[in-house]
Amino acid sequence: MKQLLSWLTIFFTILSIAQKSKKDSILQLIQKNPSTEETVRNLNLLSTKYYKRQPDSSIILAQRSLRLAEELRYKDGIYSAKANIVLARFRQGDFEDADVRLKELLQAGELDNYAQKSILFALGEVYFKKQILDSTLKYSLATLKASERSNDPPERLLVYHNNLSIDYAQKGYLDRAIFHNLSAIKLDGLLPEDLNRKTQLYINAGNMYRLVGGYKNALKYRQLAYETAKRLGIDRMIALAAVKLSESLLDVNKPKESKEKLDIASTYISGFSGQGEIIENFVYVTRAYYYKTIGDYDKAIDYYKKGMEVAEKAANKQDLLFISNNLAELQIELGLYNEAEKNLERALQIQTGVGDLISEKETYLLKARVDSIQGDIHSYVQSNWKYNQLKDSIASENTAKAIAQLEIEYETNLKDREIELLNLENENKETDQRRMRIIQISLATIVILLLILAFIMYKSNTSQKKSMVTIRRQNKENKLLVQETHHRVKNNLQIILSLLNVQASNLNSHPKLDMALAESRNRIKSLALIHEELYQHKTMSSVNSKFYFSRLIKNIMDSMVDSSGKINVVHNIDDAEIKMSIAVPMGLIINELLTNAVKYAFEGKESGTVNVTYSTNDGYHELIVGDDGVGFKDCSKKNYSFGLNLVEGLTKQYGGSFSIHPEKGETSFTVVLKEV
């Protein structure tokens, strides 16, 4: 994710999705038909377009829309206008609880796609500004879905696809980020030409392809961005496109052409302010990359340091982290270990404010290299352990990303997307072949050295020591085998979950069927989660109860978007290591009881609270799920749902007890399992 936040900042400063002529035409429609529902919608549309750069104007337009909608008794127009007012005032710095206010609007009543879309869009923008990226993605996807149901024009769909592209890139879902970026580019081709918008869309495509190693595609889109920027004639855009193109030319080993574009970018950056510092930093860092490529390391170091000065002046932590890592890597190659260590310490201090796992992993890898060279064994062990921990975490996350299904209804122009990804795959194959040849040569050398070492060890070691080596190796292999087994089981469960999602999207909507499929998916998720915890955990037979059950509860509530917004879940979970034989049934039971409470306990109530308590003592595990809802009317077994029958069956299977206390306002379900 190197420098990802920097180019996202530029995107929001430079991009102008709507043309001025389009705004003028909307104003003409408003003047022509001043008192219609169409006028309400046009006023809301203008309010949305102005909210980032002119929030005062956005509020005035939304208030005018609200007054007219109230006169016409146009309910959906009223809610859309209220959402725009909240969004614009949040942009001004008011309404810290903007997300709460918007959710209240969303739950106010039966709203059509138009009103829902306005509120969902505002929620996505608020969460993006707050850097709560999981919620940003959820509401951005919901906005696109509502927009497609409304048959919105290409201009609106382009905005939503582009927002999703940026959201996914920030979260690291680069395949989906590329897909939505390409969708936005295709929609751009259906609209009157806007060179500013087109340039930025091309730049974004190049940035994302480079992040996944697709250097040829990155070069293609950056070349298009540069050509379009020259037609546009805006200095800032030409400079940005030129420096990005220069970087891609270095990636494909064309230093001469790269320097030409760098020199062009440098002629434009003088006189910039604000985001100009970011572009200036891009120029310095790319120039350092250029000099490193041609072997002039002194100049490379000088330009890294210049870039660091600019980043410090702008308080840009992301750029400081990126430059510190790259400068340290170069200093290690040159044998400047003390200087490298100082830059790595700087990088570790910056990490707290950035939260970039990939850059943090690289920092610890470089730190381990320095520690190894300098003979600091204690520090090396710590750095290497931290690196491997981050590597495993990121690898696990990427596995989950790879099998998570894209929403089927968003996959327009699928063949074109497949062609783009196939080109990327071919590029990666070429890179992999080159790496494989290097690895084969290295392996041959290592094998020879190992044979020599094995011969020496055979002569010097006793048979007892050799046996111990064999035992340790077998134990390690067994541990890896068990870990891989859990990993594959989790992946297979995720694949089953994806297949269920795809099947559900292809069936006609039916409330009972949708509910049954959702419950089945949650059961599968709870099983997948336990295997994920096991293969990531330091032991293969137990998990941490507090961490596992907390994640499980969050996943359940996130999956119930329509029902869970008004419900507060409070959990009190013991912090203990518990065996898989208890974690599996207890996870399924929590899933059933919490789902049951969310679905049925608060019918007719505006809000409510569910309390989940788990404790363990002397081999006994107690779970209590209570709520302050309407009560359990008939707790006889003949009225048990499938979920409650499952809870009772699991409890009996594990020699435990299950009881229900159905009092209104104090309903609770208690499960006690005995460890065997």
Side-chain angles (χ1 to χ4, degrees):
M1 292 300 150
K2 295 175 180 178
Q3 290 187 304
L4 180 59
L5 293 179
S6 295
W7 61 258
L8 287 178
T9 302
I10 292 176
F11 173 87
F12 284 114
T13 304
I14 297 176
L15 181 61
S16 174
I17 293 293
Q19 297 174 326
K20 185 177 184 301
S21 59
K22 180 68 175 177
K23 293 178 182 177
D24 292 343
S25 65
I26 294 174
L27 288 171
Q28 290 172 7
L29 286 172
I30 292 171
Q31 294 166 359
K32 186 177 180 181
N33 301 297
S35 300
T36 64
E37 291 184 359
E38 181 66 24
T39 300
V40 171
R41 290 193 289 272
N42 283 329
L43 285 167
N44 282 330
L45 178 61
L46 278 180
S47 175
T48 304
K49 292 178 182 297
Y50 280 116
Y51 95 89
K52 285 184 181 177
R53 293 173 181 78
Q54 301 178 42
D56 292 336
S57 300
S58 177
I59 292 171
I60 292 170
L61 289 163
Q63 289 173 336
R64 180 178 169 187
S65 172
L66 178 60
R67 288 194 297 271
L68 179 56
E70 289 174 339
E71 290 175 10
L72 298 172
R73 297 183 179 180
Y74 178 25
K75 182 179 72 171
D76 291 289
I78 292 171
Y79 282 101
S80 179
K82 287 181 177 179
N84 285 339
I85 291 171
V86 173
L87 180 59
R89 286 185 175 171
F90 174 76
R91 187 72 178 184
Q92 287 181 320
D94 298 335
F95 287 175
E96 274 300 312
D97 61 342
D99 52 336
V100 177
R101 294 171 182 256
L102 290 168
K103 286 181 180 178
E104 288 173 352
L105 292 177
L106 196 62
Q107 297 167 3
E110 293 292 329
L111 302 176
D112 69 7
N113 285 330
Y114 167 66
Q116 287 181 17
K117 181 177 56 183
S118 299
I119 301 170
L120 291 168
F121 174 79
L123 274 166
E125 294 294 294
V126 168
Y127 280 122
F128 185 89
K129 184 71 173 175
K130 289 186 174 185
Q131 286 293 292
I132 305 175
L133 297 179
D134 287 329
S135 295
T136 303
L137 272 174
K138 179 169 70 174
Y139 288 108
S140 295
L141 278 168
T143 305
L144 178 58
K145 191 172 183 179
S147 180
E148 290 179 337
R149 285 198 303 265
S150 302
N151 293 318
D152 275 356
E155 179 184 4
R156 300 309 302 161
L157 290 173
L158 186 151
V159 173
Y160 301 141
H161 275 294
N162 198 70
N163 284 354
L164 273 169
S165 174
I166 294 168
D167 297 343
Y168 274 127
Q170 278 205 311
K171 283 290 291 179
Y173 294 80
L174 297 175
D175 55 343
R176 277 171 274 179
I178 290 172
F179 163 62
H180 286 290
N181 176 260
L182 295 178
S183 298
I185 289 174
K186 293 182 187 304
L187 289 166
D188 178 71
L190 303 176
L191 298 171
E193 188 172 59
D194 183 335
L195 295 176
N196 194 350
R197 178 181 65 216
K198 189 183 294 290
T199 301
Q200 191 59 58
L201 288 172
Y202 285 149
I203 288 174
N204 288 350
N207 288 336
M208 283 182 278
Y209 270 116
R210 187 172 190 269
L211 285 171
V212 295
Y215 298 123
K216 291 182 181 177
N217 276 327
L219 178 61
K220 179 182 76 173
Y221 281 107
R222 287 176 169 182
Q223 183 68 51
L224 288 170
Y226 178 64
E227 293 168 358
T228 309
K230 286 195 297 183
R231 290 172 56 203
L232 177 64
I234 296 177
D235 290 354
R236 192 187 304 272
M237 294 297 285
I238 296 172
L240 176 61
V243 73
K244 289 298 181 182
L245 178 56
S246 172
E247 183 180 52
S248 281
L249 287 166
L250 286 172
D251 290 336
V252 296
N253 198 27
K254 294 184 177 180
K256 182 179 178 181
E257 294 90 333
S258 171
K259 187 175 185 303
E260 291 174 0
K261 295 300 181 291
L262 264 177
D263 292 340
I264 291 172
S266 298
T267 62
Y268 285 102
I269 62 175
S270 59
F272 284 180
S273 60
Q275 277 66 40
E277 292 174 340
I278 297 175
I279 300 176
E280 183 181 8
N281 200 356
F282 283 160
V283 172
Y284 286 143
V285 171
T286 307
R287 209 172 276 281
Y289 181 23
Y290 164 76
Y291 282 115
K292 180 181 176 182
T293 301
I294 65 172
D296 192 339
Y297 300 120
D298 289 338
K299 285 188 177 179
I301 290 174
D302 287 343
Y303 277 105
Y304 275 134
K305 289 180 178 178
K306 287 181 180 179
M308 195 171 289
E309 290 174 4
V310 174
E312 285 176 338
K313 181 181 177 182
N316 189 328
K317 289 187 175 181
Q318 189 72 27
D319 279 0
L320 280 171
L321 175 59
F322 171 76
I323 296 170
S324 296
N325 276 345
N326 278 271
L327 180 54
E329 184 177 22
L330 178 56
Q331 288 168 335
I332 291 171
E333 292 175 8
L334 298 176
L336 305 173
Y337 305 124
N338 291 333
E339 290 87 342
E341 195 164 23
K342 290 178 183 177
N343 283 303
L344 292 173
E345 290 298 333
R346 175 200 292 264
L348 290 173
Q349 292 171 5
I350 297 169
Q351 293 287 354
T352 305
V354 178
D356 185 341
L357 291 180
I358 295 176
S359 293
E360 187 175 1
K361 180 195 72 173
E362 292 177 357
T363 302
Y364 278 107
L365 176 61
L366 294 169
K367 183 75 165 58
R369 285 178 59 187
V370 173
D371 293 336
S372 175
I373 292 169
Q374 293 184 328
D376 189 342
I377 301 300
H378 179 70
S379 181
Y380 167 78
V381 170
Q382 289 184 325
S383 299
N384 192 57
W385 177 82
K386 186 67 176 176
Y387 162 73
N388 282 298
Q389 187 182 46
L390 288 166
K391 183 179 70 172
D392 292 343
S393 173
I394 294 168
S396 300
E397 184 181 348
N398 287 334
T399 300
K401 294 171 190 174
I403 61 176
Q405 53 105 215
L406 289 170
E407 294 287 347
I408 298 299
E409 59 266 34
Y410 300 156
E411 298 208 8
T412 55
N413 297 314
L414 180 59
K415 290 184 179 179
D416 290 328
R417 176 176 180 264
E418 289 174 343
I419 291 171
E420 294 283 356
L421 294 179
L422 183 61
N423 289 337
L424 174 60
E425 182 181 351
N426 290 335
E427 289 182 37
N428 289 337
K429 283 182 178 178
E430 293 174 3
T431 304
D432 288 342
Q433 288 172 355
R434 289 194 295 270
R435 288 176 180 168
M436 185 56 69
R437 285 194 290 271
I438 296 171
I439 290 171
Q440 287 172 344
I441 295 170
S442 301
L443 283 176
T445 305
I446 292 170
V447 167
I448 294 170
L449 292 173
L450 286 174
L451 287 172
I452 296 171
L453 180 61
F455 178 77
I456 296 171
M457 290 177 64
Y458 175 80
K459 292 293 184 182
S460 61
N461 292 348
T462 65
S463 58
Q464 183 180 2
K465 288 184 179 180
K466 289 191 292 184
S467 297
M468 290 299 295
V469 170
T470 302
I471 291 170
R472 290 194 194 99
R473 186 178 67 250
Q474 288 174 345
N475 287 339
K476 185 176 181 181
E477 290 172 353
N478 289 337
K479 183 177 179 179
L480 290 174
L481 181 60
V482 173
Q483 192 175 34
E484 180 64 17
T485 300
H486 284 304
H487 196 169
R488 293 195 180 191
V489 170
K490 192 270 291 189
N491 285 354
N492 288 335
L493 288 170
Q494 289 281 19
I495 291 169
I496 292 170
L497 183 62
S498 297
L499 291 173
L500 278 176
N501 289 340
V502 173
Q503 189 64 41
S505 67
N506 289 323
L507 294 174
N508 294 327
S509 179
H510 188 283
K512 289 186 177 180
L513 180 58
D514 291 345
M515 186 180 297
L517 285 172
E519 290 173 354
S520 296
R521 289 196 292 268
N522 276 346
R523 293 179 186 117
I524 293 170
K525 284 180 183 178
S526 69
L527 292 172
L529 183 59
I530 186 69
H531 287 285
E532 180 179 344
E533 293 302 317
L534 285 167
Y535 80 73
Q536 289 183 345
H537 206 249
K538 61 185 178 182
T539 65
M540 295 294 104
S541 59
S542 66
V543 296
N544 181 272
S545 58
K546 188 176 185 69
F547 185 71
Y548 169 54
F549 292 144
S550 298
R551 279 192 65 189
L552 178 60
I553 290 167
K554 182 180 183 303
N555 286 350
I556 294 167
M557 297 306 293
D558 286 347
S559 71
M560 305 181 74
V561 178
D562 297 332
S563 304
S564 62
K566 63 183 181 181
I567 299 170
N568 180 36
V569 177
V570 178
H571 52 79
N572 182 14
I573 298 169
D574 278 3
D575 190 351
E577 294 295 316
I578 60 174
K579 294 180 180 179
M580 183 180 179
S581 59
I582 289 295
V584 170
M586 196 62 84
L588 288 170
I589 290 169
I590 288 175
N591 179 74
E592 298 303 327
L593 294 180
L594 182 54
T595 301
N596 189 65
V598 172
K599 286 167 55 181
Y600 303 117
F602 305 99
E603 292 181 349
K605 294 192 68 174
E606 290 295 325
S607 62
T609 300
V610 179
N611 290 287
V612 180
T613 304
Y614 166 81
S615 60
T616 178
N617 186 33
D618 292 335
Y620 286 90
H621 302 260
E622 183 181 57
L623 171 71
I624 302 174
V625 178
D627 63 74
D628 57 0
V630 297
F632 198 71
K633 296 179 181 178
D634 187 352
C635 58
S636 59
K637 292 184 179 181
K638 66 179 181 180
N639 290 319
Y640 277 13
S641 64
F642 174 80
L644 288 181
N645 279 318
L646 179 59
V647 171
E648 185 181 43
L650 284 168
T651 304
K652 287 181 178 179
Q653 182 180 347
Y654 286 87
S657 63
F658 172 50
S659 59
I660 304 175
H661 306 278
E663 293 81 4
K664 182 178 180 180
E666 297 180 359
T667 301
S668 65
F669 300 80
T670 302
V671 174
V672 178
L673 299 184
K674 182 178 180 182
E675 195 169 299
V676 293

